[in-house]
Amino acid sequence: MTKRTLGEIPAGCRQRLLAHYGPSAQRWLDAAPGRLAQAAKRWKLTLGAYHDAGHASVIATATCLEGRPLLLKAWLDPARYHREVDALRLWAGGPTIGVVEAADELAVAALELVGGQPGGADRPRREMQMVAAALHGLHTFGQRRRRPERLPRLADYLAQEVEPRLERRMRKINLGGWHSLVEAGLPAIADLEAGSLRATVLHADLYRENVLFDWLGHPRLIDPLPMVGDPAFDWAFWTVYYDLGRSTEARLTAASRVSRIPVPVLAPWCRMLAVDGLLFYVESGDPRAPLMAEVLTHLSASTPRSGS
């Protein structure tokens, strides 16, 4: 029997999107099941069930007429939909997921289902080394292929979003004993992006949950927030956030070896991301703040300053 409607969105998904986008998301959330149903009808898909994950989209499993399992994803923000789909298409054939169908007016896409199930297959023993190789391959695709014009620039993100929020939080937040750590760990953001000759399309959201593995043990990078900029940003994000507080130094070493970007160049990016994360965790009362402070302390103590 063909199933093309799923009913109400899971409560957890609804709460995460409302927290992310605010009360204005309510109307879109009410309409989202209809968008998924419309896409399923257009592409002759049988819907399975909601996959209750993510903070910016509604996701459901589906099956095409040939029996191929897929994910059906609906984005609240059309700009985010376009950027993600554009990046995935640019990376086609690389270590990401494939775009099977896309409906621009609905901001809905049918995507590959990695490993035959949400969350992918089991992680291999040499996970770190394989993800590093996959990220290097992703950057190579982004350098060699024509980049979509509507992708944002890392330099603008740093200047317009990161720097102002760092300044605001430094003024507003009582950091206590971490104040000197934060001040010492914060490089000049303007110096990080200037003059990069390595620019590529970045994933820019390399948490561990955004790296799945297929049945052959190959990594697939999902849910990008793509930007064009220095690959050092991705390597630093992976170093700091991929498995917060665990194997940070090993990832930094692997990042430098695989990317051929020296540790003194990567280190300021790592410290900037750790400072940004620590300030956010303190402001939001996140219990991971002490763990991020430990990461920043380690990065500040064990990595040389650029130019020193």
Side-chain angles (χ1 to χ4, degrees), residues 77-87 90-91 142 147-161 193 199-204 224-230 233-234:
D77 181 358
R80 186 162 177 162
Y81 155 81
H82 283 292
R83 291 166 184 168
E84 184 167 336
V85 169
D86 284 350
L90 178 140
W91 292 323
R147 303 166 195 155
E149 293 183 0
R150 56 188 163 195
L151 290 182
R153 298 292 189 256
L154 174 61
D156 295 334
Y157 169 69
L158 294 175
Q160 297 170 15
E161 295 189 40
E193 174 68 7
T200 187
V201 178
L202 307 173
H203 183 283
L225 291 174
M227 296 183 283
V228 175
D230 194 318
F233 179 89
D234 264 355

Short mmCIF file of all heavy atoms in Angstrom, two decimals, residues 77-87 90-91 142 147-161 193 199-204 224-230 233-234:
data_model
loop_
_atom_site.label_atom_id
_atom_site.label_comp_id
_atom_site.label_asym_id
_atom_site.label_seq_id
_atom_site.Cartn_x
_atom_site.Cartn_y
_atom_site.Cartn_z
N ASP A 77 13.87 27.21 5.94
CA ASP A 77 14.52 28.37 5.31
C ASP A 77 14.86 28.04 3.86
O ASP A 77 15.75 27.22 3.61
CB ASP A 77 15.78 28.71 6.10
CG ASP A 77 16.51 29.92 5.55
OD1 ASP A 77 16.07 30.48 4.53
OD2 ASP A 77 17.54 30.30 6.13
N PRO A 78 14.20 28.67 2.88
CA PRO A 78 14.50 28.37 1.48
C PRO A 78 15.95 28.63 1.10
O PRO A 78 16.52 27.91 0.28
CB PRO A 78 13.55 29.29 0.70
CG PRO A 78 12.45 29.61 1.66
CD PRO A 78 13.09 29.63 3.02
N ALA A 79 16.56 29.67 1.68
CA ALA A 79 17.97 29.96 1.36
C ALA A 79 18.86 28.82 1.82
O ALA A 79 19.80 28.42 1.12
CB ALA A 79 18.40 31.28 2.01
N ARG A 80 18.57 28.27 3.00
CA ARG A 80 19.36 27.14 3.50
C ARG A 80 19.16 25.92 2.61
O ARG A 80 20.11 25.18 2.34
CB ARG A 80 18.95 26.84 4.94
CG ARG A 80 19.81 25.78 5.61
CD ARG A 80 19.67 25.84 7.11
NE ARG A 80 20.42 24.77 7.76
CZ ARG A 80 20.76 24.77 9.04
NH1 ARG A 80 20.39 25.77 9.81
NH2 ARG A 80 21.45 23.77 9.56
N TYR A 81 17.93 25.70 2.16
CA TYR A 81 17.67 24.61 1.21
C TYR A 81 18.52 24.76 -0.04
O TYR A 81 19.19 23.81 -0.48
CB TYR A 81 16.18 24.59 0.85
CG TYR A 81 15.87 23.95 -0.49
CD1 TYR A 81 15.78 22.57 -0.63
CD2 TYR A 81 15.68 24.74 -1.63
CE1 TYR A 81 15.51 21.99 -1.86
CE2 TYR A 81 15.41 24.17 -2.86
CZ TYR A 81 15.33 22.79 -2.97
OH TYR A 81 15.08 22.22 -4.19
N HIS A 82 18.47 25.93 -0.66
CA HIS A 82 19.21 26.15 -1.91
C HIS A 82 20.70 25.94 -1.72
O HIS A 82 21.37 25.31 -2.55
CB HIS A 82 18.93 27.55 -2.45
CG HIS A 82 17.60 27.69 -3.12
ND1 HIS A 82 17.28 27.07 -4.30
CD2 HIS A 82 16.49 28.38 -2.75
CE1 HIS A 82 16.05 27.37 -4.66
NE2 HIS A 82 15.54 28.17 -3.74
N ARG A 83 21.25 26.46 -0.62
CA ARG A 83 22.69 26.34 -0.40
C ARG A 83 23.10 24.89 -0.18
O ARG A 83 24.12 24.43 -0.72
CB ARG A 83 23.10 27.20 0.81
CG ARG A 83 23.00 28.68 0.54
CD ARG A 83 23.09 29.48 1.83
NE ARG A 83 22.89 30.91 1.60
CZ ARG A 83 22.69 31.80 2.56
NH1 ARG A 83 22.67 31.42 3.83
NH2 ARG A 83 22.50 33.07 2.26
N GLU A 84 22.32 24.16 0.60
CA GLU A 84 22.66 22.76 0.86
C GLU A 84 22.56 21.93 -0.40
O GLU A 84 23.47 21.14 -0.71
CB GLU A 84 21.77 22.19 1.95
CG GLU A 84 22.14 20.77 2.34
CD GLU A 84 21.47 20.30 3.62
OE1 GLU A 84 21.08 21.14 4.46
OE2 GLU A 84 21.34 19.07 3.79
N VAL A 85 21.48 22.10 -1.15
CA VAL A 85 21.31 21.33 -2.38
C VAL A 85 22.38 21.70 -3.40
O VAL A 85 22.95 20.84 -4.08
CB VAL A 85 19.89 21.53 -2.95
CG1 VAL A 85 19.78 20.96 -4.36
CG2 VAL A 85 18.86 20.85 -2.04
N ASP A 86 22.68 22.99 -3.52
CA ASP A 86 23.74 23.43 -4.44
C ASP A 86 25.07 22.77 -4.09
O ASP A 86 25.81 22.30 -4.96
CB ASP A 86 23.90 24.95 -4.38
CG ASP A 86 22.82 25.71 -5.12
OD1 ASP A 86 22.04 25.06 -5.85
OD2 ASP A 86 22.74 26.94 -4.97
N ALA A 87 25.40 22.76 -2.80
CA ALA A 87 26.68 22.18 -2.37
C ALA A 87 26.71 20.67 -2.62
O ALA A 87 27.71 20.13 -3.10
CB ALA A 87 26.93 22.48 -0.90
N LEU A 90 27.30 20.07 -6.19
CA LEU A 90 28.70 20.35 -6.55
C LEU A 90 29.60 19.19 -6.13
O LEU A 90 30.53 18.84 -6.83
CB LEU A 90 29.15 21.64 -5.88
CG LEU A 90 30.61 22.05 -6.11
CD1 LEU A 90 30.72 23.54 -6.33
CD2 LEU A 90 31.49 21.65 -4.93
N TRP A 91 29.31 18.59 -4.97
CA TRP A 91 30.13 17.50 -4.44
C TRP A 91 29.71 16.13 -4.97
O TRP A 91 30.20 15.11 -4.49
CB TRP A 91 30.03 17.48 -2.92
CG TRP A 91 30.66 18.64 -2.22
CD1 TRP A 91 31.81 19.29 -2.56
CD2 TRP A 91 30.19 19.28 -1.02
NE1 TRP A 91 32.09 20.29 -1.67
CE2 TRP A 91 31.12 20.31 -0.71
CE3 TRP A 91 29.09 19.09 -0.19
CZ2 TRP A 91 30.96 21.14 0.39
CZ3 TRP A 91 28.93 19.91 0.92
CH2 TRP A 91 29.85 20.93 1.21
N GLY A 142 35.53 21.09 -4.17
CA GLY A 142 35.15 22.49 -4.09
C GLY A 142 36.12 23.43 -4.77
O GLY A 142 35.75 24.53 -5.17
N ARG A 147 31.81 26.92 -8.49
CA ARG A 147 31.04 27.11 -7.27
C ARG A 147 29.77 27.90 -7.53
O ARG A 147 29.78 28.88 -8.26
CB ARG A 147 31.89 27.86 -6.23
CG ARG A 147 33.19 27.17 -5.90
CD ARG A 147 34.11 28.11 -5.15
NE ARG A 147 35.48 27.60 -5.14
CZ ARG A 147 36.55 28.34 -5.02
NH1 ARG A 147 36.42 29.66 -4.89
NH2 ARG A 147 37.75 27.81 -5.02
N PRO A 148 28.66 27.49 -6.92
CA PRO A 148 27.41 28.26 -7.06
C PRO A 148 27.60 29.68 -6.53
O PRO A 148 28.19 29.89 -5.47
CB PRO A 148 26.42 27.47 -6.19
CG PRO A 148 26.99 26.09 -6.10
CD PRO A 148 28.48 26.27 -6.13
N GLU A 149 27.08 30.64 -7.25
CA GLU A 149 27.28 32.05 -6.88
C GLU A 149 26.58 32.42 -5.58
O GLU A 149 27.01 33.35 -4.89
CB GLU A 149 26.80 32.96 -8.02
CG GLU A 149 27.64 32.85 -9.29
CD GLU A 149 27.18 33.80 -10.37
OE1 GLU A 149 26.20 34.55 -10.11
OE2 GLU A 149 27.78 33.80 -11.46
N ARG A 150 25.50 31.71 -5.23
CA ARG A 150 24.74 32.14 -4.06
C ARG A 150 25.28 31.61 -2.74
O ARG A 150 24.71 31.88 -1.68
CB ARG A 150 23.27 31.78 -4.20
CG ARG A 150 22.96 30.33 -4.46
CD ARG A 150 21.47 30.17 -4.77
NE ARG A 150 21.19 28.89 -5.41
CZ ARG A 150 20.07 28.61 -6.04
NH1 ARG A 150 19.12 29.53 -6.12
NH2 ARG A 150 19.86 27.44 -6.60
N LEU A 151 26.36 30.85 -2.79
CA LEU A 151 26.94 30.40 -1.52
C LEU A 151 27.57 31.59 -0.79
O LEU A 151 28.27 32.40 -1.39
CB LEU A 151 28.01 29.33 -1.76
CG LEU A 151 27.52 27.96 -2.24
CD1 LEU A 151 28.70 27.01 -2.38
CD2 LEU A 151 26.49 27.38 -1.29
N PRO A 152 27.35 31.71 0.52
CA PRO A 152 27.94 32.82 1.27
C PRO A 152 29.44 32.67 1.41
O PRO A 152 30.00 31.59 1.17
CB PRO A 152 27.24 32.72 2.64
CG PRO A 152 26.80 31.31 2.74
CD PRO A 152 26.50 30.84 1.35
N ARG A 153 30.09 33.75 1.79
CA ARG A 153 31.55 33.78 1.95
C ARG A 153 31.92 33.68 3.44
O ARG A 153 31.30 34.34 4.28
CB ARG A 153 32.13 35.06 1.35
CG ARG A 153 31.88 35.22 -0.15
CD ARG A 153 32.66 34.20 -0.93
NE ARG A 153 32.65 34.44 -2.37
CZ ARG A 153 31.91 33.75 -3.24
NH1 ARG A 153 31.11 32.80 -2.81
NH2 ARG A 153 31.98 33.99 -4.52
N LEU A 154 32.91 32.90 3.72
CA LEU A 154 33.39 32.76 5.09
C LEU A 154 33.82 34.11 5.65
O LEU A 154 33.56 34.42 6.82
CB LEU A 154 34.56 31.78 5.14
CG LEU A 154 35.29 31.63 6.48
CD1 LEU A 154 34.35 31.12 7.57
CD2 LEU A 154 36.49 30.70 6.34
N ALA A 155 34.47 34.93 4.85
CA ALA A 155 34.93 36.24 5.32
C ALA A 155 33.76 37.08 5.82
O ALA A 155 33.86 37.77 6.84
CB ALA A 155 35.67 36.97 4.20
N ASP A 156 32.63 37.03 5.10
CA ASP A 156 31.44 37.79 5.53
C ASP A 156 30.87 37.21 6.82
O ASP A 156 30.43 37.95 7.70
CB ASP A 156 30.38 37.77 4.43
CG ASP A 156 30.83 38.49 3.16
OD1 ASP A 156 31.68 39.40 3.28
OD2 ASP A 156 30.35 38.14 2.07
N TYR A 157 30.85 35.89 6.92
CA TYR A 157 30.36 35.24 8.13
C TYR A 157 31.18 35.65 9.34
O TYR A 157 30.65 35.98 10.40
CB TYR A 157 30.39 33.73 7.93
CG TYR A 157 30.13 32.92 9.18
CD1 TYR A 157 28.88 32.90 9.79
CD2 TYR A 157 31.16 32.16 9.76
CE1 TYR A 157 28.65 32.15 10.94
CE2 TYR A 157 30.94 31.41 10.90
CZ TYR A 157 29.68 31.40 11.49
OH TYR A 157 29.47 30.66 12.63
N LEU A 158 32.49 35.67 9.19
CA LEU A 158 33.36 36.06 10.30
C LEU A 158 33.15 37.52 10.68
O LEU A 158 33.05 37.87 11.87
CB LEU A 158 34.82 35.83 9.93
CG LEU A 158 35.27 34.38 9.73
CD1 LEU A 158 36.71 34.33 9.25
CD2 LEU A 158 35.10 33.56 10.99
N ALA A 159 33.10 38.40 9.67
CA ALA A 159 33.00 39.83 9.93
C ALA A 159 31.62 40.26 10.41
O ALA A 159 31.51 41.13 11.28
CB ALA A 159 33.38 40.62 8.67
N GLN A 160 30.58 39.63 9.87
CA GLN A 160 29.22 40.10 10.14
C GLN A 160 28.52 39.33 11.27
O GLN A 160 27.57 39.86 11.86
CB GLN A 160 28.39 40.00 8.86
CG GLN A 160 28.90 40.89 7.75
CD GLN A 160 28.24 40.61 6.40
OE1 GLN A 160 27.20 39.95 6.33
NE2 GLN A 160 28.84 41.10 5.32
N GLU A 161 28.97 38.11 11.54
CA GLU A 161 28.30 37.32 12.58
C GLU A 161 29.23 36.97 13.74
O GLU A 161 28.93 37.26 14.89
CB GLU A 161 27.72 36.03 11.96
CG GLU A 161 26.62 36.27 10.95
CD GLU A 161 25.93 35.00 10.52
OE1 GLU A 161 25.69 34.13 11.39
OE2 GLU A 161 25.64 34.86 9.32
N GLU A 193 41.20 35.18 7.66
CA GLU A 193 40.70 34.96 6.30
C GLU A 193 41.54 35.66 5.25
O GLU A 193 41.51 35.30 4.08
CB GLU A 193 39.24 35.44 6.23
CG GLU A 193 38.60 35.42 4.84
CD GLU A 193 38.38 34.01 4.30
OE1 GLU A 193 38.59 33.04 5.04
OE2 GLU A 193 38.01 33.89 3.12
N ALA A 199 40.99 28.81 -1.08
CA ALA A 199 39.54 28.86 -0.93
C ALA A 199 38.84 27.69 -1.61
O ALA A 199 39.20 27.28 -2.72
CB ALA A 199 39.00 30.17 -1.48
N THR A 200 37.84 27.16 -0.94
CA THR A 200 37.06 26.04 -1.45
C THR A 200 35.65 26.14 -0.89
O THR A 200 35.32 27.09 -0.17
CB THR A 200 37.71 24.70 -1.05
OG1 THR A 200 37.02 23.63 -1.70
CG2 THR A 200 37.68 24.49 0.45
N VAL A 201 34.80 25.17 -1.21
CA VAL A 201 33.47 25.11 -0.61
C VAL A 201 33.58 24.31 0.68
O VAL A 201 33.99 23.15 0.67
CB VAL A 201 32.44 24.47 -1.57
CG1 VAL A 201 31.07 24.37 -0.89
CG2 VAL A 201 32.33 25.29 -2.85
N LEU A 202 33.23 24.93 1.78
CA LEU A 202 33.36 24.34 3.10
C LEU A 202 32.08 23.63 3.52
O LEU A 202 30.97 24.04 3.15
CB LEU A 202 33.67 25.42 4.13
CG LEU A 202 34.86 26.33 3.83
CD1 LEU A 202 34.92 27.46 4.86
CD2 LEU A 202 36.16 25.54 3.82
N HIS A 203 32.24 22.60 4.33
CA HIS A 203 31.08 21.96 4.95
C HIS A 203 30.57 22.83 6.09
O HIS A 203 29.37 23.09 6.21
CB HIS A 203 31.46 20.57 5.47
CG HIS A 203 30.31 19.83 6.07
ND1 HIS A 203 29.82 20.11 7.32
CD2 HIS A 203 29.56 18.80 5.59
CE1 HIS A 203 28.80 19.30 7.59
NE2 HIS A 203 28.63 18.49 6.56
N ALA A 204 31.47 23.26 6.96
CA ALA A 204 31.24 24.27 8.00
C ALA A 204 30.34 23.82 9.14
O ALA A 204 29.90 24.67 9.93
CB ALA A 204 30.70 25.57 7.38
N PRO A 224 25.45 20.00 5.46
CA PRO A 224 26.43 21.10 5.47
C PRO A 224 25.75 22.45 5.67
O PRO A 224 24.56 22.63 5.41
CB PRO A 224 27.03 21.01 4.06
CG PRO A 224 25.91 20.48 3.22
CD PRO A 224 25.19 19.49 4.10
N LEU A 225 26.54 23.41 6.12
CA LEU A 225 26.18 24.83 6.10
C LEU A 225 27.20 25.51 5.17
O LEU A 225 28.08 26.23 5.63
CB LEU A 225 26.24 25.43 7.50
CG LEU A 225 25.17 24.96 8.48
CD1 LEU A 225 25.44 25.52 9.87
CD2 LEU A 225 23.78 25.35 8.01
N PRO A 226 27.12 25.26 3.88
CA PRO A 226 28.24 25.56 2.98
C PRO A 226 28.55 27.05 2.86
O PRO A 226 27.68 27.90 2.83
CB PRO A 226 27.75 24.99 1.64
CG PRO A 226 26.26 24.99 1.73
CD PRO A 226 25.96 24.69 3.16
N MET A 227 29.85 27.31 2.82
CA MET A 227 30.40 28.64 2.59
C MET A 227 31.64 28.49 1.73
O MET A 227 32.19 27.39 1.62
CB MET A 227 30.79 29.31 3.91
CG MET A 227 29.67 29.60 4.86
SD MET A 227 30.24 30.48 6.36
CE MET A 227 30.99 29.13 7.26
N VAL A 228 32.08 29.57 1.14
CA VAL A 228 33.32 29.57 0.37
C VAL A 228 34.38 30.27 1.20
O VAL A 228 34.20 31.41 1.64
CB VAL A 228 33.13 30.29 -0.98
CG1 VAL A 228 34.47 30.39 -1.73
CG2 VAL A 228 32.11 29.56 -1.84
N GLY A 229 35.49 29.56 1.42
CA GLY A 229 36.54 30.17 2.22
C GLY A 229 37.70 29.22 2.44
O GLY A 229 37.82 28.17 1.79
N ASP A 230 38.57 29.60 3.38
CA ASP A 230 39.79 28.86 3.67
C ASP A 230 39.45 27.50 4.29
O ASP A 230 38.70 27.43 5.28
CB ASP A 230 40.64 29.67 4.65
CG ASP A 230 42.06 29.16 4.75
OD1 ASP A 230 42.25 27.94 4.80
OD2 ASP A 230 42.98 30.00 4.79
N PHE A 233 39.23 26.56 8.17
CA PHE A 233 38.05 26.66 9.02
C PHE A 233 37.44 25.28 9.26
O PHE A 233 37.12 24.92 10.40
CB PHE A 233 37.01 27.59 8.38
CG PHE A 233 35.74 27.72 9.19
CD1 PHE A 233 35.61 28.69 10.16
CD2 PHE A 233 34.66 26.87 8.96
CE1 PHE A 233 34.45 28.81 10.91
CE2 PHE A 233 33.49 26.98 9.71
CZ PHE A 233 33.39 27.96 10.68
N ASP A 234 37.25 24.49 8.19
CA ASP A 234 36.69 23.15 8.35
C ASP A 234 37.59 22.26 9.19
O ASP A 234 37.12 21.50 10.05
CB ASP A 234 36.48 22.50 6.98
CG ASP A 234 35.07 22.66 6.45
OD1 ASP A 234 34.20 23.18 7.19
OD2 ASP A 234 34.82 22.25 5.30
#
